[in-house]
Amino acid sequence: MPPPVPPSIDDYRYAIQDHFDATARQRGYDSGATCSSYASSTVPTWAAQAAALIAWRDQVWTYTYAELAKVEAGERAQPSVNAFIGELPAMVWPA
């Protein structure tokens, strides 16, 4: 039996996007894009939630690119997609 094929960049990308959207749905938004679209809302709660999600998104992708570069450079073992999702920074919603 051949060894399992390691996850591709797209496997990580799709899983992270799903995680992003699921996190936005925790607050009743359809997706991360929908939540992010409230960044300039005149409703302070919605604007704060959008700003927090956008900041978190940036942290997640910064971490992702840095860690996957380490994998490509042989500096760390390639994690499973689920393990990698577990490594991502936690989302902290505003009070």
Side-chain angles (χ1 to χ4, degrees), residues 24 27-54 57 93:
R27 289 292 190 260
Y29 297 98
D30 294 333
S31 67
T34 300
C35 179
S36 298
S37 74
Y38 283 84
S40 61
S41 175
T42 59
V43 177
T45 300
W46 298 340
Q49 289 175 348
L53 190 74
I54 290 166
R57 176 200 60 198
W93 291 103

Side-chain angles (χ1 to χ4, degrees), residues 4-95:
V5 176
S8 70
I9 295 298
D10 279 344
D11 292 332
Y12 291 103
R13 186 170 61 87
Y14 294 138
I16 291 167
Q17 186 62 51
D18 287 344
H19 180 62
F20 179 67
D21 289 336
T23 301
R25 284 192 296 273
Q26 293 173 354
R27 289 292 190 260
Y29 297 98
D30 294 333
S31 67
T34 300
C35 179
S36 298
S37 74
Y38 283 84
S40 61
S41 175
T42 59
V43 177
T45 300
W46 298 340
Q49 289 175 348
L53 190 74
I54 290 166
W56 175 69
R57 176 200 60 198
D58 294 349
Q59 292 170 356
V60 164
W61 286 110
T62 298
Y63 179 85
T64 296
Y65 293 133
E67 292 305 305
L68 293 181
K70 290 178 187 177
V71 169
E72 290 177 345
E75 297 172 5
R76 72 169 281 184
Q78 184 171 1
S80 70
V81 171
N82 287 338
F84 193 74
I85 295 296
E87 293 178 26
L88 297 175
M91 173 61 191
V92 178
W93 291 103

